[in-house]
Structure formats: C-alpha cells, structure tokens
Amino acid sequence: KPRLVASNDRFCRFLEEYCPVVTETYYPTIWCWEGRVQTLLRPFITSRPQVQYRNELIKTADGGQISLDWFDNNDSSYYPDASTRPTVLLLPGLTGTSKESYILHMIHQSETLGYRCVVFNNRGIAGEELLTPRTYCAANTEDLEAVIHHVHSLHPSAPFMAAGVSMGGMLLLNYLGKAGRDTPLMAAAIFSAGWNVFESVESLEKPLNWLLFNYYLTTCLQSSISRHRQMLEKLFDMDLVMKARTVREFDKQFTSVMFGYRSIDDYYEDASPCRKLKSVGIPVLCLNSVDDVFSPAHAIPVETAKQNANVALVLTSCGGHIGFLEGIWPRKCTYMDRVFKQFVQAVFEHGNKIFSM
C-alpha cells in the first residue's frame, strides 16, 4: 500500500474521495518487481497510443524558439467549447519529447475525459533548430514560464494544470517554488522527480547503475546536442563535451557552463527541487517509488513536505523510475497513469474543495 504524506487533512480527504488510487494497494507486475527492471522494461512493454499533434513554434525573449505539440481534442463531447476546455501542460523527462510512451498514455487518459493537452518540448530536441546557442536545464524556468504564459493567454477561461515527469517534474517544481501562488496553474502532478540532484547522480554513478542507465543517458544528452554542433561550438569545446562518460561530467562541461553557474555544485544545488518545496503555493501531488535509483528514498523530502499544506507525496515500495507496471502483462495502463487520470479529473471537476485550503 502506498504511503501518503500530507499535513493537510482536507487535502488528504480530497485525495481519498476523488483520487482513491493513492490509498489502494499497488501490485507490481510479479515478474519485473525490481525497480531497475521496471525502469528498463517499461519503454518496451507499454503500448504507444496513436496521437495526432498540432505543432506550434513560439519565440522566446532571447531569440530562441520552443516547440509545443498540441492535442486539441476538438471532438470532446464533455467540453465542446474550446475556450473553456480544461488544459493539461505535459513536461517530459531529461531527453524526452511528445513521442514518449508515458506522454502518449497521459494524453490518451486526458482524451477520454474530454481535456486538451499541450506538450512542452525542451529546446532543440524535438526536431526544431536551435536559433541561439542555448538548450535547457532543470534549474532555469524561463522557457517554462514563457510557455505557461502563452498557453494561458490563448485560453484564459480554461481550467489549467500541469504534469511533469522525471526532469520535467523537477523543472515544474522549481517553477512552482519560485512562483508561489502567482501562477495560472490550478494544481500540478509530479512523477518520479529527482529531489536532490547530488544524491541522484551519486546513485547513478554506482557501477551497475552506471552500466544500466548513466552511460546511456549521457550518450542521449550528447546525441541531442550533436545535431546543433555548429551553433553550440560558438561557446563550447564540443570535443570535450562529447568525451563525457557520466551525466555529471556532461553537466560540468556543458549544462552548468551554459547557464552561468560558477561550479557544477552551484548548478546542482539550484536544480534540486527539495530546496523549493516549502514555497509551493498550489496543490501538488508527487508520486515516487522508493526503489527508484534516479531518486533515492533517503533523498525524498518527507519532512519538508509535511511543512507545506499544498503538498502531498505518494510513495510506493516498488515501481522504479517512471515504471509502476502492474498486471501480468502490463501493456496498457500503469499505476502512474491511473494516478494521473484520477488526480487531473479530481482537480478539474472537484478542485474547489481544496482551493480554499
């Protein structure tokens, strides 16, 4: 049974009534119960629902551009009026885009409820060109702020919330910690966020985890910028960046330098959402598994969460990183998908019961 951590009794009762999945026993797929196995197998096992996107490129203040993929759900029978159709902003993980299976499943769940979705693709990784020598990081929220303002300005009368996965969840938490109550978002859902970057990279540098995850993630990061090498060579020694063999080395040579940090430690401190959780000003539900090597159990800020009435943590004993597979053959819906669907529906249809907290 998941552990529900929330100091606000009203928020707890709200979740128990309208998002009961967070109190139900989670039965992981018995033949892949270990966290690393769940993490590795989910992308290959889960189905990929068909989603037809409408792409939009928006300009940023520094001359760059951001690629947004819209699922308008114009056939929604529940919300035929597009101006008031609830909107969910989705933030993928570190090198993820709108094509990730977990994003496609979130859109599929939203479609059945009649909602509209828009996926925020980080700069340079969704096929669009880099117009400036700048990509993205977990600490800098400028692009996310621009996207939230843009989406809200297009549909100012539509209920609006966001969901972030892995690094997308970290970025969303860092934005919420900075914005407090000054955001058009009603609420947010966070899945498999790395709460303390120092602890995350240390866990990922253990020999088996490096072999299974760290090296692959590093090559994905390098691949995501190699297409833009001509633009990025203006500021970086790309040969040195391409020699990185860990995420930490990549961040030291590239990410922390790009965003002007004096050291990688300064960047990792700023990127860690655990430091900003106390300032979150809207209802946030965060799902983590305690066997997630990307976000070690001892780094989950349980005590800090108890000090903020807007925050609820749901902690499962199994599930890995963006895994949460369940059932004998977990092709379709995961536990994470069910948490997403119930919480989003609870916020859009019964949110007034927690917004007076």
Side-chain angles (χ1 to χ4, degrees):
K1 207 169 183 182
R3 179 185 176 194
L4 178 60
V5 179
S7 64
N8 189 323
D9 290 340
R10 186 180 297 173
F11 198 1
C12 272
R13 290 195 301 272
F14 174 84
L15 292 172
E16 289 165 359
E17 183 173 356
Y18 297 110
C19 189
V21 65
V22 303
T23 64
E24 297 169 2
T25 302
Y26 161 55
Y27 296 98
T29 298
I30 195 163
W31 50 269
C32 62
W33 56 271
E34 204 271 342
R36 284 174 288 216
V37 179
Q38 285 241 1
T39 305
L40 289 168
L41 290 183
R42 184 206 52 80
F44 302 103
I45 290 178
T46 52
S47 62
R48 303 180 65 82
Q50 291 295 312
V51 174
Q52 199 70 37
Y53 288 119
R54 172 177 62 85
N55 183 255
E56 179 187 20
L57 293 175
I58 65 171
K59 291 293 188 286
T60 60
D62 70 330
Q65 63 180 356
I66 301 169
S67 175
L68 301 179
D69 281 319
W70 290 84
F71 174 72
D72 295 300
N73 205 4
N74 287 326
D75 296 327
S76 171
S77 57
Y78 295 108
Y79 300 95
D81 183 355
S83 67
T84 56
R85 185 176 303 143
T87 304
V88 188
L89 174 65
L90 300 175
L91 287 72
L94 184 60
T95 58
T97 67
S98 59
K99 297 182 174 70
E100 303 303 321
S101 62
Y102 56 83
I103 294 291
L104 298 175
H105 276 273
M106 286 180 171
I107 291 175
H108 178 65
Q109 301 285 0
S110 300
E111 180 182 14
T112 63
L113 297 169
Y115 307 149
R116 169 175 46 223
C117 293
V118 54
V119 185
F120 166 37
N121 298 295
N122 285 301
R123 289 198 204 191
I125 63 169
E128 83 284 7
E129 294 300 317
L130 277 186
L131 302 182
T132 61
R134 168 176 166 169
T135 55
Y136 59 93
C137 76
N140 189 290
T141 62
E142 291 171 2
D143 283 359
L144 176 56
E145 290 167 30
V147 168
I148 289 173
H149 174 76
H150 174 73
V151 173
H152 181 60
S153 68
L154 291 177
H155 307 285
S157 300
F160 186 23
M161 67 175 292
V165 181
S166 190
M167 194 213 78
M170 297 164 64
L171 181 64
L172 182 53
L173 283 165
N174 285 331
Y175 159 77
L176 293 173
K178 178 181 176 183
R181 291 183 178 273
D182 187 19
T183 173
L185 298 175
M186 299 170 63
I190 311 291
F191 302 100
S192 295
W195 289 97
N196 184 315
V197 184
F198 295 101
E199 299 295 341
S200 293
V201 294
E202 185 173 325
S203 172
L204 288 170
E205 286 168 359
K206 293 178 179 177
L208 182 57
N209 295 339
W210 178 85
L211 188 65
L212 293 175
F213 306 111
N214 200 329
Y215 181 69
Y216 173 73
L217 258 184
T218 307
T219 59
C220 286
L221 286 165
Q222 291 165 330
S223 176
S224 72
I225 64 171
S226 62
R227 189 169 65 86
H228 309 290
R229 184 166 185 142
Q230 191 172 358
M231 173 65 75
L232 295 170
E233 277 180 333
K234 298 174 183 178
L235 295 180
F236 300 95
D237 182 345
M238 292 299 288
D239 290 332
L240 191 59
V241 173
M242 291 300 172
K243 290 177 182 175
R245 289 296 173 263
T246 66
V247 172
R248 191 197 299 261
E249 289 175 6
F250 180 89
D251 286 338
K252 182 178 181 180
Q253 300 297 340
F254 185 77
T255 316
S256 61
V257 177
M258 172 174 284
F259 288 94
Y261 290 96
R262 289 180 301 174
S263 69
I264 188 170
D265 285 355
D266 288 343
Y267 165 50
Y268 280 174
E269 185 173 349
D270 199 25
S272 298
C274 60
R275 298 177 61 250
K276 316 217 178 46
L277 192 61
K278 63 181 180 296
S279 303
V280 170
I282 62 171
V284 175
L285 180 67
C286 308
L287 174 66
N288 281 90
S289 171
V290 298
D291 67 355
D292 180 356
V293 299
F294 286 74
S295 186
H298 64 269
I300 298 173
V302 172
E303 294 307 314
T304 307
K306 290 178 181 177
Q307 296 168 26
N308 188 333
N310 293 300
V311 176
L313 303 181
V314 178
L315 308 177
T316 60
S317 56
C318 305
H321 188 70
I322 329 175
F324 302 102
L325 301 173
E326 57 186 357
I328 297 300
W329 184 239
R331 282 280 295 161
K332 295 184 179 179
C333 197
T334 68
Y335 179 78
M336 177 177 126
D337 296 329
R338 293 197 291 130
V339 172
F340 168 82
K341 182 177 183 179
Q342 289 189 15
F343 184 64
V344 169
Q345 185 175 20
V347 168
F348 284 146
E349 299 180 16
H350 307 284
N352 59 308
K353 297 186 179 177
I354 51 171
F355 295 135
S356 56
M357 291 191 304

